[in-house]
Amino acid sequence: MFEIVKRKELNKTVTLIEVNAPRVAKKAQPGQFIILRTDENGERIPLTVADYDREKGTVTVIFQIVGATTEKLNRLREGDSLSDFVGPLGRATETDGLKKVAVVGGGVGCAIAYPVAKKLHSLGCEVHAIAGFRTKELVILENEFKKASSKFILMSDDGSAGEKGLVTDALEKLIKSGEQYDEVITIGPLPMMKFVCLLTKKYGIKTVASMNPIMIDGTGMCGGCRLSVGGEMKFACVDGPEFDGHLIDFDEAMERSSIYRKFERHKHEEACNLFKKEVE
Amino acid sequence: MPNMSLKKNEMPTQAPNVRNKNFYEVALGYTPEQAIDEAKRCLNCKNKPCVSGCPVKVHIPDFIAKVAEGKFDEAYDIISLSSSLPAVCGRVCPQEHQCEGKCVRGIKGESVAIGRLERFVADYHNANCKLWPSDIANNGHRVAVIGSGPAGLTCASDLVRKGYKVTVFEALHTAGGVLVYGIPEFRLPKAIVEMEIKGLKALGVEIETNTVIGKTVSIDELMDEQGYEAVFIGTGAGLPKFMKIPGENLKGVYSANEFLTRINLMKAYLETSDTPIQKAKRVAVVGGGNVAMDAARCAKRLGAEVYIVYRRGMDELPARKEEVEHAEEEGVIFKTLTNPVEILGYHNPNDKKDDLNGTVNGIKCIEMELGEPDASGRRKPIEKPNSEFVLDVDCVIMALGTSPNPLIKDTTEGLETQKWGGIIADENGKTSRKGVFAGGDAVTGAATVILAMGAGKTAAAAIDEYIKSKENSKK
């Protein structure tokens, strides 16, 4: 069993948990992910590592409540335990030789973009961070990003926080102003990453996108996480989760991400109703 | 007087039209009376060809003689000398190619039902035994076993009985490997696998789940930092193969591994499970092996009309005979001499947000005929020109075989592997790395439970010898 030692609600739908998992903490790197199960009937879900503390032996993950499993996860409190927590899985973000990078995060994807920015920053790389949210209430990790970058731009769809507009607007402005990046790293919703990649392709800037598809085992066994990269079949769990953004077939990935939408809705409602009953 | 009936005692099964709607075990097992009657068909012949057909050399005529006398516990003890998972083997071994294939009774009539008897003896034992804490003296040496499938469990069992302190590492949250995620409940109830694992734990084997060797811990760390003197790699062949035909990334295309894992390990067929599975109406399973049969029969139980699409003929199906028969009885439709060329999908040009976009709505196949025998000795399937047709399905399951996982190879320096990923090991399981042994599908590529067990057994003996010789050279 893996105890939750800290829990913090970052906004209404996004929660941070720090989990006691010494062996995972010892090895975890930015860009990698873990798979957890809340309980015996639980689904295995992948979550990207948001932070780790090798001495304390803890790993932090940040999740958005999107379905039954994350709903269940969100009901757990400090002192509660997860039945399973395995990792670190996937390949770590490649940081070698990078001197100047734009890290572009969107929504809960910022939780994954942050440790990448932090690592690059600590290695002496110049980091420009762009974080986009729909609205002010959803903003997370603002201060953390500021500390991990030399330039931080906050964007919101409605202009209630930072500048009004999309992350691509901010990125294009920086590029046009003459900033030259070795690489752009983007993590967020699939449509956002797709448009970031279209933009950087126009300017010929190498771009890495972090994929988070449906998967079960996370070790290459099920193939559920497969995607097309440069016309080849890749498994996000072992070949990724980060890939050359200019080669990813985002449209296919978006279609694949909706496989269980109906089931998810049904299970989510079921879970919510169950919790409501418990409260009553 | 032996029982000279030419036919095996039939094993009671659930009726096909009942069982194709539930996940309970298909075959119900012999009663003690049936077992004794069947055991009396064994002639106890001098040459014991059956034993030579068994990869772990179970003393078959000896245990059958005990069954004939009604001494089932003694029969179990005899099997236990050679096999650590009899309840499993009795159910999933391809007996027709092994022990039973060599039985002299099979020359005229049917062979003795060795598999069914093994199953009976193991089930009888499991129902009536009590687990006692082990009294084996610990020899102070530690061995790590990677993977808790049939190879790993057998290796662990043999080593712990010799006094080694054994830890088994498993990547998933439940021990058992393919016995748990791959083979369905109706063919091998998970309670049986659990029972076998409990038995091993009682002997002192430690099992650490949620541990991916090569990620969580490396083999070097196990040996250099954690004090394991030898390692056995029994990680199986877990990577699914695809055909590289258009449409394989459509929604509704599964690898058999994914489909079976969702059902068997994650219990997606139960209402209580949070893991989803597509409720398909018409399913094409591509392949003709045991895994294809398992996937087809699972899909049938979930309510679909199911086709097996296989490029050779019925006689060439590599699956166990009983599995093919059971699948046919349950209503699985065999489209043999048929090969897929493309998977077709739905696309709504007017609505990009239509959830059905990118969903399977057919599989285009071509008819095949058999030509000259190829390198494998089987007749090579050849396409019949202009014979394409579309099978109307909303789900396709690819059961084309699997290959070994590269996680360990990529993180263990000096561990030599074949081009296709199999770990190179000699006949005793010794790899290119000192103290590292391997066996089962990780070495051979996808094969059978019993061959993996045989390899685990051989490696256990080699590990014992290796550690003892190291010890002796110190003296």
Side-chain angles (χ1 to χ4, degrees):
Chain A
M1 298 293 270
F2 302 83
E3 194 191 338
I4 296 174
V5 295
K6 190 178 145 193
R7 178 181 180 280
K8 193 178 159 194
E9 290 178 9
L10 301 182
N11 68 34
K12 257 192 233 160
T13 61
V14 176
T15 302
L16 170 154
I17 51 172
E18 190 178 334
V19 180
N20 189 29
R23 284 195 309 192
V24 185
K26 195 177 161 201
K27 287 288 181 70
Q29 296 282 353
Q32 290 187 297
F33 66 95
I34 57 94
I35 284 186
L36 63 78
R37 230 168 44 123
T38 52
D39 60 275
E40 269 310 297
N41 292 323
E43 189 185 4
R44 291 172 66 96
I45 58 161
L47 289 171
T48 309
V49 171
D51 208 349
Y52 45 83
D53 187 326
R54 304 214 200 280
E55 274 164 29
K56 259 169 80 185
T58 61
V59 176
T60 301
V61 290
I62 296 175
F63 60 91
Q64 185 166 26
I65 305 154
V66 289
T69 301
T70 41
E71 181 70 44
K72 268 188 181 177
L73 189 57
N74 195 43
R75 302 282 161 165
L76 299 176
R77 294 292 176 259
E78 284 174 15
D80 289 344
S81 288
L82 303 169
S83 73
D84 304 285
F85 193 90
V86 58
L89 301 166
R91 293 170 189 272
T93 305
E94 287 187 23
T95 50
D96 286 357
L98 296 177
K99 300 258 177 338
K100 187 166 174 174
V101 170
V103 177
V104 183
V108 73
C110 291
I112 308 155
Y114 164 65
V116 176
K118 186 172 133 184
K119 179 163 186 199
L120 287 166
H121 187 68
S122 75
L123 291 171
C125 171
E126 186 180 349
V127 176
H128 292 179
I130 303 168
F133 301 91
R134 268 193 302 150
T135 186
K136 193 175 178 211
E137 283 77 54
L138 301 178
V139 174
I140 57 170
L141 302 170
E142 187 178 351
N143 289 327
E144 285 84 350
F145 267 114
K146 279 181 185 160
K147 274 186 232 162
S149 59
S150 55
K151 188 175 277 188
F152 174 65
I153 300 168
L154 179 63
M155 302 295 289
S156 61
D157 294 2
D158 62 2
S160 58
E163 292 172 39
K164 184 177 171 165
L166 303 170
V167 290
T168 40
D169 300 335
L171 181 61
E172 186 156 31
K173 215 164 130 188
L174 287 171
I175 297 170
K176 277 190 172 163
S177 74
E179 300 285 1
Q180 297 206 332
Y181 300 110
D182 298 335
E183 192 172 298
V184 171
I185 299 175
T186 181
I187 306 164
L190 290 166
M192 183 205 91
M193 293 198 287
K194 175 183 167 178
F195 285 105
V196 167
C197 292
L198 284 173
L199 176 74
T200 55
K201 197 168 183 185
K202 194 168 88 183
Y203 290 99
I205 308 166
K206 188 188 168 197
T207 301
V208 169
S210 176
M211 305 298 278
N212 186 18
I214 294 165
M215 59 176 76
I216 306 178
D217 60 292
T219 62
M221 201 185 89
C222 78
C225 66
R226 64 193 185 275
L227 65 165
S228 299
V229 181
E232 263 183 67
M233 187 189 284
K234 296 281 179 193
F235 289 181
C237 64
V238 286
D239 301 320
E242 294 177 357
F243 295 97
D244 182 337
H246 296 156
L247 299 177
I248 297 171
D249 184 341
F250 281 105
D251 292 334
E252 181 189 89
M254 279 185 256
E255 281 176 1
R256 287 188 64 78
S257 71
S258 71
I259 301 178
Y260 299 112
R261 199 166 280 162
K262 246 194 207 160
F263 178 93
E264 273 297 327
R265 261 185 226 135
H266 170 71
K267 274 279 170 185
H268 191 187
E269 275 165 30
E270 229 180 54
C272 291
N273 289 339
L274 197 69
F275 288 125
K276 268 186 216 147
K277 264 186 212 155
E278 278 173 10
V279 174
E280 281 161 14
Chain B
M1 205 24 217
N3 169 358
M4 290 314 289
S5 162
L6 292 179
K7 288 199 153 282
K8 289 176 184 179
N9 275 274
E10 285 288 335
M11 179 160 54
T13 54
Q14 280 194 71
N17 264 323
V18 174
R19 69 184 192 236
N20 66 9
K21 293 171 193 71
N22 70 51
F23 276 84
Y24 301 117
E25 192 170 17
V26 167
L28 304 171
Y30 279 157
T31 60
E33 294 71 31
Q34 287 169 321
I36 291 171
D37 189 59
E38 183 62 29
K40 287 182 176 160
R41 292 185 63 231
C42 175
L43 303 176
N44 211 344
C45 57
K46 222 171 162 185
N47 293 332
K48 309 184 197 318
C50 50
V51 180
S52 72
C54 173
V56 296
K57 305 282 175 275
V58 169
H59 304 310
I60 294 164
D62 299 356
F63 98 75
I64 291 182
K66 291 295 176 191
V67 176
E69 291 171 33
K71 294 176 179 165
F72 306 135
D73 280 323
E74 288 178 40
Y76 183 83
D77 291 340
I78 292 170
I79 299 175
S80 287
L81 293 174
S82 326
S83 171
S84 47
L85 305 167
V88 174
C89 292
R91 287 173 166 82
V92 304
C93 269
Q95 287 98 0
E96 70 261 30
H97 300 304
Q98 298 175 347
C99 51
E100 293 183 17
K102 307 248 167 147
C103 176
V104 293
R105 293 296 307 262
I107 299 167
K108 197 179 165 200
E110 288 181 349
S111 68
V112 176
I114 300 169
R116 294 173 187 177
L117 288 172
E118 182 182 28
R119 170 194 160 131
F120 168 79
V121 168
D123 287 357
Y124 181 89
H125 172 83
N126 286 344
N128 297 292
C129 78
K130 286 202 183 73
L131 292 177
W132 299 101
S134 131
D135 54 359
I136 305 163
N138 187 327
N139 67 14
H141 297 286
R142 297 176 71 200
V143 179
V145 170
I146 308 172
S148 63
L153 291 180
T154 304
C155 186
S157 165
D158 278 20
L159 286 169
V160 81
R161 284 169 211 269
K162 290 185 207 291
Y164 290 91
K165 183 142 179 43
V166 183
T167 311
V168 178
F169 296 97
E170 167 57 46
L172 291 169
H173 55 263
T174 307
V178 73
L179 306 176
V180 170
Y181 76 73
I183 302 176
E185 178 75 18
F186 56 80
R187 197 148 79 82
L188 177 63
K190 300 311 144 214
I192 286 170
V193 182
E194 222 171 278
M195 187 77 187
E196 303 276 12
I197 288 168
K198 267 191 195 152
L200 284 185
K201 284 186 179 167
L203 288 174
V205 173
E206 272 180 37
I207 298 185
E208 285 201 33
T209 53
N210 290 320
T211 313
V212 184
I213 302 300
K215 286 286 176 189
T216 316
V217 188
S218 69
I219 285 187
D220 290 306
E221 286 168 313
L222 289 176
M223 298 183 83
D224 300 343
E225 294 169 22
Q226 301 191 12
Y228 292 98
E229 291 169 64
V231 173
F232 174 74
I233 306 171
T235 45
L239 291 194
K241 285 183 188 153
F242 287 89
M243 287 184 84
K244 295 189 173 153
I245 57 173
E248 280 183 308
N249 284 0
L250 289 166
K251 292 189 280 185
V253 182
Y254 289 93
S255 73
N257 263 2
E258 178 180 3
F259 188 74
L260 290 172
T261 302
R262 283 181 184 274
I263 291 171
N264 302 324
L265 177 72
M266 306 309 297
K267 308 265 177 274
Y269 63 92
L270 299 175
E271 258 305 301
T272 47
S273 171
D274 289 341
T275 299
I277 185 105
Q278 193 195 342
K279 297 276 184 298
K281 291 191 183 69
R282 291 158 65 93
V283 177
V285 178
V286 182
N290 287 321
V291 175
M293 299 306 137
D294 286 346
R297 296 170 70 197
C298 282
K300 188 79 201 170
R301 281 159 173 74
L302 292 174
E305 179 163 311
V306 184
Y307 301 94
I308 289 272
V309 174
Y310 178 60
R311 60 192 185 135
R312 291 185 162 97
M314 284 305 280
D315 293 338
E316 284 79 25
L317 284 167
R320 226 172 144 239
K321 200 169 142 228
E322 190 181 66
E323 308 313 325
V324 176
E325 286 169 5
H326 280 166
E328 279 188 301
E329 287 167 13
E330 288 166 16
V332 172
I333 302 158
F334 284 74
K335 293 261 177 202
T336 51
L337 292 168
T338 302
N339 206 29
V341 288
E342 183 182 356
I343 303 167
L344 309 169
Y346 170 87
H347 289 280
N348 182 347
N350 302 317
D351 184 2
K352 282 209 144 181
K353 291 199 167 155
D354 188 337
D355 263 0
L356 287 175
N357 279 339
T359 306
V360 172
N361 65 1
I363 183 167
K364 194 184 196 184
C365 301
I366 188 161
E367 289 178 23
M368 310 291 277
E369 53 196 352
L370 292 179
E372 296 299 308
D374 63 9
S376 71
R378 292 186 299 178
R379 289 175 65 192
K380 198 180 164 178
I382 307 165
E383 290 183 357
K384 269 195 210 168
N386 304 319
S387 66
E388 284 98 343
F389 68 99
V390 172
L391 205 54
D392 171 23
V393 295
D394 57 350
C395 176
V396 174
I397 300 168
M398 291 292 181
L400 308 157
T402 50
S403 55
N405 196 312
L407 274 180
I408 287 191
K409 173 193 89 176
D410 292 347
T411 53
T412 311
E413 227 171 288
L415 185 70
E416 284 173 20
T417 56
Q418 312 271 7
K419 255 197 201 135
W420 50 268
I423 296 169
I424 297 174
D426 71 7
E427 68 282 4
N428 296 315
K430 242 170 99 177
T431 70
S432 55
R433 271 284 301 264
K434 201 177 159 212
V436 179
F437 298 76
D441 287 4
V443 169
T444 57
T448 60
V449 167
I450 189 72
L451 285 172
M453 289 178 57
K457 209 171 180 55
T458 309
I463 289 171
D464 180 43
E465 200 176 298
Y466 164 76
I467 290 178
K468 275 189 184 141
S469 71
K470 227 173 54 165
E471 190 75 348
N472 288 337
S473 65
K474 269 190 215 159
K475 280 173 194 164

